Amino acid sequence: MAPAVNSLLLACFAGSALGASIAQRAPLPIADTLFVNGIIHTLDSGSTTINGGALAITNGTITCVGEEEDCKSAVGASTKVVDLNGKVMIPGLIDTHVHPFDAGRAMLGCTLRYRQLTQEALRKIIQDCLDSQPGETGMLTVTEFDREGFTSINGPGNKAMLDSLKTTRPITIIATNQHNVFVNSRTLQLLNITRNTPDPQGGIIGRDANGEPTGFLEENASGPARALGGDRGIPQLNAGIAALSQLRRRGVTTILDALQAPHDAWTTLKQRGDLTARVFTCFGVFGSTDFPTIVSQALAAKNQLDESTLVANAPGQHWRNVKFFIDGVLPEVSEASLLLEPYLVDNGNGTWVPGKNFGIPNANQSQIQEIITRTLDAGLGIHLHASGDAAVRTVLNVAAAMNRHFQPSEIGIAHAELVAIEDRTRFAELGIPIIASYQWAQKATYGADKNALTLGPERMSRLQAHGTLNNAGALLAYGSDWPVDPLDPFLALAIGVLRKGDPQNRNAHASFGPQFVGRLDDQPALSREVALRGMTIFAATYLNSTSSIGSLEVGKFADIVVIDRDYLDEKAVPDDELARNKVLLTMIGGKAVFADNSTSFIPTEWLAESNRLDSDPVVKSLKPGNILARSLTGRTCGSANHRH
Ligand SMILES: *[C@@H]1O[C@H](CO)[C@@H](O)[C@H](O)[C@H]1NC(C)=O
Ligand SMILES: *[C@@H]1O[C@H](CO)[C@@H](O)[C@H](O)[C@H]1NC(C)=O
Ligand SMILES: *[C@@H]1O[C@H](CO)[C@@H](O)[C@H](O)[C@H]1NC(C)=O
Ligand SMILES: *[C@@H]1O[C@H](CO)[C@@H](O)[C@H](O)[C@H]1NC(C)=O
Ligand SMILES: *[C@@H]1O[C@H](CO)[C@@H](O)[C@H](O)[C@H]1NC(C)=O
Ligand SMILES: *[C@@H]1O[C@H](CO)[C@@H](O)[C@H](O)[C@H]1NC(C)=O
Ligand SMILES: *[C@@H]1O[C@H](CO)[C@@H](O)[C@H](O)[C@H]1NC(C)=O
Ligand SMILES: [Zn+2]
């Protein structure tokens, strides 16, 4: 860290050391585990860093954090003393917007792995999937389609590109952003979609110049194709097991599932002792505007499944939120985020001028008022997808009209990709947090070419304004939105801090080619510490759980991650290497759930437990390329032997 910050940390640490010495007067309980000799970043309010630090855990809870001297009286005959050997300890990561079952199904099914593909490469992957399931006649659902990247190199897609595949099966390809699908003629036929079918409310059936459906179904028009594919032959439980295996490996100990109906997968895993994350869930129904039903079903889910309190050594599930979509997604192929000024169109001579489209609304202001009021009256929190500046402003206006300051867990705005300058301070004024996906502030296929031209330079310069919004007082909690992107928290942290990807990290668009290397724009970024707080204590604040999780403090749960190098120290980890931190150990409630087996400090029992969890047949069936999602190259060129 910079010298100035360092002295601030030392000053704060002096205060906390005093606290520790007071606490020392009471005898410490005997610890199950005592870590020693680590660099501990507590992420408490004082930003305490302890070099050569110790941390004691008794029955899943932290009972001492401090110098080795402070904690040594916690050692008893049964205490496991673990020498961290200078490794770095931070709180378990919290991801407040993620889709674990979509991610699990993507890893277990047919996936395009986020690659920017030519038509030929796209067809080859899908044909291989078809050929691997002889005799199958139902829908083939394909995931992780980089539609923007595909469009940049192939032009607008068309169902004919899929109809030439050797199959009679219906095919649905889900775009990475999850808001639109690309289907073949057989799927259109099964959905009874013809040139005469009107667009559903809140959705668009893509059509070519002759009015013929192209096979692209936007937003609310995409639901029926997904429904037809059902669970893709992948049981909910298996999808959950697959997702958890990656979350623990990446240091994520608590998640908020951003859209889900009741299910028993977490209950089953908890009974087995295999629930390796604390799981919060937003109840929601994509496309539905039947608010009384949504809220009553959310309450029923809460009554049935919510565990009222968080328990240190027994991670559980919590159903306290409702999800609603205010608008759609930004890219030019969709133009579905709600904007204050219209998307730009090419006037025919290469000049981009305001067109007529402001985006696709899912609700008007009075409906938004109704869903927010009903949800809060029911004692639930509302998690709102609002991407464009008009969607964000409408939510802020509705909240302002309620004439009160909100608790952070009451109204959360997810994404807020574009925010009007005059709205920036309103989040803090109203008490409304932003759930931000830091990794969207990288140069990427979805921000290139026409995606930039339809927004225009002024709006492009304000996109993903995480640093600016933080500076305006907004509370930013991190949400990966996995599987919209590969799950890679340290890449996301790096992009939050640098506003650029890492060409050496295959999950970064910078690995696709020189066009995506370098800083996105000149906007202020987040500091390393604020970015990490967004994944720890700020995220816990959004989940109203700071008494249990989010920092390493006495009395809180031992949800802990040990990483190889000091993410917060600019000397130990220069900016260009920030995306390459490695998780060595993940603990939840004092129990190891992931251990890197190349690490010498980890006790063999913990490695054995990590291996036991990963020996689940579902985890073993994951194809490596589907996990760290991109395969060797980001872009496949037309020429087979030319790789970027
Ligand atoms: C350990 O914690 C659990 C759950 O928090 C609690 O039920 C149990 O009584 C505790 N055990 C001891 C020995 O304190
Ligand atoms: C399509 O139309 C057929 C015949 O009218 C009907 O049986 C079927 O349910 C329709 N499918 C959908 C998805 O609407
Ligand atoms: C989505 O479409 C369905 C009909 O297909 C309609 O009932 C629903 O209101 C639409 N949702 C939105 C948000 O427009
Ligand atoms: C393009 O057309 C607009 C009118 O729509 C005109 O104002 C502008 O000068 C033209 N630009 C060029 C480069 O021809
Ligand atoms: C909002 O939409 C609902 C449902 O379509 C409609 O009944 C209502 O009149 C609309 N209200 C306003 C103010 O436009
Ligand atoms: C936050 O949690 C506390 C219990 O820890 C509860 O009393 C309070 O009502 C919660 N706040 C909200 C807004 O749900
Ligand atoms: C460590 O894990 C890797 C990958 O899971 C595995 O191939 C290897 O056999 C393991 N090594 C040990 C010593 O357990
Ligand atoms: Zn999402």
Side-chain angles (χ1 to χ4, degrees), residues 270-325:
K270 181 165 179 161
Q271 281 161 0
R272 285 192 201 169
D274 289 353
L275 183 58
T276 59
R278 306 184 193 281
V279 184
F280 291 72
T281 298
C282 297
F283 175 86
V285 184
F286 187 77
S288 172
T289 48
D290 178 358
F291 303 129
T293 302
I294 292 173
V295 174
S296 74
Q297 289 179 344
L299 272 179
K302 181 182 177 185
N303 291 335
Q304 186 198 343
L305 295 165
D306 182 65
E307 299 178 28
S308 58
T309 50
L310 279 72
V311 177
N313 49 18
Q317 56 187 321
H318 310 280
W319 294 69
R320 301 173 183 177
N321 287 81
V322 169
K323 169 70 174 288
F324 186 71
F325 293 84

Side-chain angles (χ1 to χ4, degrees), residues 272-560:
R272 285 192 201 169
D274 289 353
L275 183 58
T276 59
R278 306 184 193 281
V279 184
F280 291 72
T281 298
C282 297
F283 175 86
V285 184
F286 187 77
S288 172
T289 48
D290 178 358
F291 303 129
T293 302
I294 292 173
V295 174
S296 74
Q297 289 179 344
L299 272 179
K302 181 182 177 185
N303 291 335
Q304 186 198 343
L305 295 165
D306 182 65
E307 299 178 28
S308 58
T309 50
L310 279 72
V311 177
N313 49 18
Q317 56 187 321
H318 310 280
W319 294 69
R320 301 173 183 177
N321 287 81
V322 169
K323 169 70 174 288
F324 186 71
F325 293 84
I326 307 293
D327 64 347
V329 295
L330 270 175
E332 176 266 341
V333 283
S334 301
E335 294 195 346
S337 294
L338 270 193
L339 303 180
L340 292 167
E341 300 296 331
Y343 288 90
L344 308 184
V345 293
D346 185 345
N347 74 346
N349 68 5
T351 306
W352 290 74
V353 298
K356 294 203 175 73
N357 182 27
F358 288 81
I360 303 179
N362 281 323
N364 60 34
Q365 180 146 348
S366 50
Q367 289 175 303
I368 294 169
Q369 203 162 335
E370 184 188 349
I371 183 67
I372 292 178
T373 310
R374 280 184 186 274
T375 301
L376 297 184
D377 286 353
L380 300 165
I382 185 132
H383 189 88
L384 294 165
H385 168 119
S387 160
D389 50 8
V392 170
R393 177 171 291 177
T394 309
V395 174
L396 295 171
N397 286 350
V398 168
M402 294 171 79
N403 205 17
R404 47 173 288 226
H405 190 84
F406 295 91
Q407 294 305 305
S409 61
E410 291 185 297
I411 304 177
I413 298 185
H415 312 320
E417 296 186 79
L418 185 64
V419 176
I421 292 167
E422 53 273 42
D423 288 337
R424 284 173 181 160
T425 55
R426 298 178 73 198
F427 299 90
E429 283 159 19
L430 291 161
I432 295 181
I434 295 169
I435 294 84
S437 298
Y438 304 155
Q439 73 276 7
W440 295 348
Q442 66 181 308
K443 281 191 184 170
T445 51
Y446 48 75
D449 305 328
K450 281 192 181 167
N451 299 299
L453 295 169
T454 54
L455 287 178
E458 194 279 326
R459 285 186 291 208
M460 282 303 288
S461 74
R462 289 192 281 116
L463 272 189
Q464 320 295 353
H466 305 140
T468 308
L469 290 163
N470 172 70
N471 294 345
L475 180 83
L476 265 63
Y478 177 73
S480 67
D481 218 355
W482 185 46
V484 168
D485 297 281
L487 183 70
D488 195 338
F490 282 94
L491 173 62
L493 285 166
I495 295 171
V497 172
L498 306 170
R499 297 186 77 77
K500 65 176 186 184
D502 178 347
Q504 286 188 26
N505 182 319
R506 278 184 265 145
N507 294 324
H509 285 233
S511 72
F512 285 25
Q515 181 192 357
F516 302 109
V517 174
R519 199 175 162 110
L520 175 70
D521 55 31
D522 297 330
Q523 286 194 58
L526 301 170
S527 70
R528 292 188 185 203
E529 183 179 328
V530 168
L532 185 56
R533 283 181 178 269
M535 262 186 219
T536 55
I537 191 67
F538 296 162
T541 302
Y542 173 54
L543 297 176
N544 190 27
S545 300
T546 52
S547 59
S548 311
I549 57 175
S551 60
L552 301 177
E553 296 180 75
V554 171
K556 288 207 188 187
F557 300 170
D559 291 4
I560 287 170

Side-chain angles (χ1 to χ4, degrees), residues 143-222:
T143 59
E144 309 308 5
F145 171 46
D146 179 354
R147 180 178 172 195
E148 294 81 28
F150 180 85
T151 307
S152 285
I153 57 177
N154 301 280
N158 192 285
K159 63 191 175 196
M161 296 171 177
L162 305 178
D163 291 344
S164 62
L165 289 161
K166 291 192 253 342
T167 187
T168 54
R169 291 175 68 181
I171 297 171
T172 293
I173 306 176
I174 301 175
T176 53
N177 64 38
Q178 311 290 317
H179 282 249
N180 53 79
V181 296
F182 180 23
V183 304
N184 66 355
S185 291
R186 180 72 185 127
T187 299
L188 289 176
Q189 190 185 19
L190 290 173
L191 295 172
N192 300 326
I193 294 176
T194 67
R195 55 185 297 128
N196 300 320
T197 311
D199 289 342
Q201 201 191 340
I204 290 177
I205 296 168
R207 296 169 213 262
D208 65 18
N210 302 318
E212 189 59 30
T214 57
F216 281 93
L217 303 171
E218 311 290 341
E219 301 291 342
N220 199 28
S222 70

